[in-house]
Amino acid sequence: MTRKDYQVYVGMASCGIASGADLVFEKLVEAVSPSIAVEPTGCLGICFCEPLVEVRSLSGQRYLYGNVTEDKLTRVINEHLLNNQVVQELLVPYPQQVRFALQNCGLINPEDLHSYIEVNGYSGLRKALASSPEAVINEIKIAGLRGRGGAGFPTHLKWSLARQSLVQPKYVICNADEGDPGAFMDRSILESDPHSVLEGILIAGYAIGAEQGFIYVRAEYPLAIQRLRLAIQQAMDYNLLGKQILGTDFNFDIQIREGAGAFVCGEETALLMSIEGQRGMPRFRPPYPVDKGLFDCPTVINNVETLANVPRIMEKGAAVFNQYGTKQSTGTKVFALTGDVKHSGLVEIPMGTTINELVFEIGGGISTGGQFKAIQTGGPSGGCIPAELGATPVDYESLAEIGAIMGSGGLLVMDDATCMVNVAQYFLSFASAESCGKCTFCRIGTQKMLEILNKITAGQGELQDLETLEELGKKVAAGSMCGLGQTAPNPLLTTLKYFRPEYEAHILEKRCPAKQCQALIDYQIDSELCRSCGLCKQACPVNAITGSRQEAYQINQSVCIRCGLCVSSCKFAAILISAGEVAS
């Protein structure tokens, strides 16, 4: 067997490595190299199938193996790679999605510039440099590309305003400070296709007349940072960065700045403060960054996904991009699909795809066996949308109409065992903890709302608390100076709007219908189902379970801390959860 028979790729983004892909990679190299080339690749998006191994034949056929354990890998090596027998039962389907921003993710080796160039990498930059800056901006305008970081501001407007400024120097910043719980869109692109982001920054720099770019990425993304540094060095070695790029008069440099994990630094003016070496706190606007941004100079700030789209638009033309989506929300959107869904991972869909299509067709439906209850878009800044609105298209305008936002792309699916009061409580606790404290509405308002929610989930709420929550939520949204405070009440306000009966049950009946709030549930042992095995008693950390193999087991409610360990340890489903009154 020669090297040309097959090429093998192992998904080596963070999702794959966390599932053991590094060990799979090592074993493959040991078993078949150098006869067969084994290379790392990025995230294909089907994270629920990791580790992933792809075998590509010389004729162009591709075979994708999922959930590759050591035993399965042995079969792939012995049967497929050594004996040309495809292991059919281990194959998993490729994601059936429109991949535009993610077109190279899982396809190329993210650590090899040549692999990127083989799929037309940097051809968008070449076309841009052969055009005028104004023509580049106009192409982005025709495409209708809007910022994928949350607000959906037209990208061409930012670029045009910065281009018109006579102040020098100018800057381009890639906002890779992805802090939403459950969001990993930016991380996956940076780990899987770093050169596309560099190329997008270069095109933006050429368009506005800048010579310096920064990538602000959180330090919690070590693999992304490692691959970005390697990509920058490779680009410099091949005259794609530095002086007289590709033989033109265009000069550009890119540096990395690591953020310390403050959620507020995802807000663009706080991000600017952080890069300048100051405490990351928002600034009043106006002036906007395109007028006075980094070091008081004109600055364009775009997020990772926005910039990853730019080279594709320049290479293929705006018409290819805006053939997807809706009239006002063109193109595609990348989402991190998580929660109670079978096919969790990274998905890219045309704008206008409905929530139901996302959950049931792309996500495979509810993983728990329960019923679809709600979806949370936009993380702690987004809204909770009930299943009854599942026909709603996912685009900027449609989501805004029902009180939600697109956000950066975190998308959490919830089943009917989810307590929506608890969901609002969780996201408010996050927003309150991450508030920089600069403005009173956000600093104190989020804390007061959280205190009331804590009271309600403890069974101590009153009906007037709901009116207070609504009033506080609207005032915090109206009075906060940055996006964190302005959107922090969204989970609360949308759950109050669509799931008000759950709040009323917590208050009036002292009951959590979803059986999640610890103060409002009891654990009981069903004597008919119990087999007196004693596992629940062994698992209880506070000795709240009494009894023996000769007598019935019981739970002392005054001692029980409702941790749920007894439920998970019982093999006979004998421990029942009741949504009763406040536990004593």
Side-chain angles (χ1 to χ4, degrees):
M1 176 172 291
T2 67
R3 180 183 180 88
K4 293 183 179 180
D5 287 320
Y6 292 116
Q7 282 186 310
V8 182
Y9 292 83
V10 181
M12 295 281 281
S14 290
C15 51
I17 294 172
S19 300
D22 50 347
L23 299 177
V24 170
F25 184 85
E26 290 174 8
K27 185 172 182 181
L28 267 168
V29 170
E30 181 182 343
V32 302
S33 180
S35 298
I36 300 174
V38 182
E39 294 193 49
T41 188
C43 176
L44 256 178
I46 47 177
C47 306
F48 65 97
C49 286
E50 296 284 3
L52 289 167
V53 173
E54 182 183 7
V55 179
R56 301 179 194 169
S57 70
L58 183 62
S59 60
Q61 293 173 301
R62 300 173 67 187
Y63 305 90
L64 186 64
Y65 294 101
N67 298 306
V68 180
T69 61
E70 187 172 340
D71 291 341
K72 291 179 181 178
L73 181 61
T74 300
R75 288 194 61 191
V76 172
I77 293 172
N78 292 336
E79 296 177 34
H80 193 163
L81 298 180
L82 300 182
N83 289 293
N84 298 315
Q85 296 295 319
V86 178
V87 190
Q88 295 289 345
E89 62 268 31
L90 301 184
L91 293 176
V92 295
Y94 285 88
Q96 298 300 311
Q97 302 164 23
V98 175
R99 293 171 71 85
F100 199 85
L102 302 181
Q103 68 177 29
N104 296 331
C105 297
L107 176 67
I108 66 171
N109 181 345
E111 298 182 358
D112 184 359
L113 172 61
H114 297 96
S115 184
Y116 182 66
I117 291 176
E118 285 174 3
V119 291
N120 295 323
Y122 288 105
S123 61
L125 175 63
R126 290 182 182 275
K127 287 187 176 180
L129 295 180
S131 307
S132 68
E134 291 77 13
V136 171
I137 295 173
N138 189 56
E139 192 72 14
I140 299 301
K141 179 181 179 180
I142 296 171
L145 178 64
R146 297 171 65 172
R148 294 319 197 232
F153 190 81
T155 302
H156 77 275
L157 280 181
K158 276 188 180 182
W159 292 18
S160 180
L161 290 169
R163 175 72 190 172
Q164 293 167 17
S165 176
L166 300 178
V167 177
Q168 286 290 349
K170 301 176 183 178
Y171 299 100
V172 177
I173 297 177
C174 171
N175 183 351
D177 191 58
E178 184 175 52
D180 289 7
F184 50 92
M185 301 78 59
D186 292 354
R187 187 196 72 204
S188 291
I189 293 174
L190 293 174
E191 291 177 352
S192 306
D193 193 14
H195 281 285
S196 69
V197 180
L198 300 188
E199 187 177 2
I201 295 172
L202 281 161
I203 294 171
Y206 174 73
I208 72 168
E211 294 189 354
Q212 178 67 58
F214 292 92
I215 302 175
Y216 187 86
V217 55
R218 54 183 41 225
E220 292 96 325
Y221 286 176
L223 182 59
I225 294 170
Q226 173 189 324
R227 289 179 175 169
L228 276 172
R229 292 194 189 283
L230 178 60
I232 289 172
Q233 185 58 55
Q234 290 173 343
M236 292 180 66
D237 292 343
Y238 282 81
N239 189 225
L240 295 163
L241 276 174
K243 302 293 185 182
Q244 297 182 320
I245 293 172
L246 297 177
T248 68
D249 293 332
F250 178 49
N251 306 319
F252 202 84
D253 180 53
I254 296 177
Q255 298 180 24
I256 294 174
R257 292 290 184 269
E258 296 182 36
F263 180 67
V264 73
C265 285
E267 195 278 333
E268 60 182 21
T269 61
L271 179 153
L272 294 173
M273 297 279 281
S274 182
I275 293 179
E276 291 173 355
Q278 304 178 62
R279 181 181 176 186
M281 300 178 76
R283 301 173 180 173
F284 286 103
R285 298 181 301 178
Y288 293 94
V290 290
D291 296 316
K292 296 186 70 173
L294 189 65
F295 306 118
D296 288 335
C297 295
T299 304
V300 160
I301 305 173
N302 293 127
N303 88 321
V304 170
E305 185 184 344
T306 308
L307 290 165
N309 275 302
V310 169
R312 309 343 177 192
I313 293 171
M314 292 306 302
E315 174 202 347
K316 301 178 181 186
V320 176
F321 180 77
N322 60 30
Q323 70 179 324
Y324 304 112
T326 66
K327 185 176 181 180
Q328 291 181 290
S329 298
T330 59
T332 62
K333 180 72 187 79
V334 179
F335 288 98
L337 189 62
T338 59
D340 300 321
V341 65
K342 291 179 182 177
H343 299 162
S344 59
L346 206 65
V347 303
E348 185 170 6
I349 60 169
M351 290 280 196
T353 302
T354 67
I355 292 171
N356 282 338
E357 288 172 330
L358 254 175
V359 174
F360 294 103
E361 295 181 20
I362 297 174
I366 303 302
S367 60
T368 62
Q371 297 296 311
F372 175 39
K373 182 174 183 176
I375 197 166
Q376 163 84 359
T377 65
S381 304
C384 296
I385 305 168
E388 291 75 18
L389 296 177
T392 303
V394 178
D395 58 58
Y396 293 103
E397 291 72 31
S398 299
L399 291 179
E401 286 177 7
I402 60 176
I405 63 170
M406 183 82 70
S408 58
L411 206 154
L412 176 67
V413 179
M414 294 169 276
D415 70 357
D416 53 3
T418 304
C419 173
M420 303 310 295
V421 183
N422 184 255
V423 168
Q425 181 186 34
Y426 166 77
F427 282 114
L428 256 178
S429 67
F430 179 88
S432 179
E434 293 292 340
S435 172
C436 75
K438 185 170 184 176
C439 61
T440 306
F441 279 100
C442 181
R443 181 182 70 250
I444 298 178
T446 54
Q447 183 61 40
K448 289 299 180 183
M449 289 187 290
L450 179 60
E451 288 173 2
I452 295 173
L453 285 176
N454 290 341
K455 188 173 74 167
I456 292 173
T457 56
Q460 300 167 2
E462 304 171 16
L463 271 181
Q464 67 184 34
D465 289 334
L466 302 185
E467 294 181 9
T468 304
L469 282 172
E470 285 184 325
E471 182 183 7
L472 274 172
K474 292 175 182 177
K475 288 184 176 179
V476 169
S480 297
M481 67 173 291
C482 88
L484 189 155
Q486 291 164 6
T487 59
N490 282 347
L492 168 67
L493 294 175
T494 50
T495 52
L496 277 170
K497 179 179 180 179
Y498 296 117
F499 301 96
R500 198 178 192 91
E502 285 196 42
Y503 282 88
E504 293 171 347
H506 281 71
I507 294 170
L508 298 176
E509 303 171 36
K510 309 301 179 187
R511 181 177 64 89
C512 176
K515 302 178 183 179
Q516 295 296 320
C517 296
Q518 289 186 346
L520 303 179
I521 58 175
D522 287 327
Y523 292 118
Q524 304 284 346
I525 298 177
D526 188 317
S527 58
E528 294 184 5
L529 296 175
C530 180
R531 297 295 182 268
S532 299
C533 66
L535 288 177
C536 60
K537 184 177 181 179
Q538 295 174 29
C540 181
V542 293
N543 297 318
I545 300 177
T546 58
S548 65
R549 292 180 181 270
Q550 289 74 39
E551 60 183 81
Y553 283 92
Q554 294 182 337
I555 299 177
N556 186 336
Q557 299 298 330
S558 64
V559 179
C560 177
I561 59 174
R562 295 158 187 83
C563 64
L565 290 176
C566 58
V567 178
S568 59
S569 67
C570 181
K571 298 180 179 180
F572 307 103
I575 302 177
L576 309 179
I577 306 175
S578 62
E581 295 188 354
V582 185
S584 58

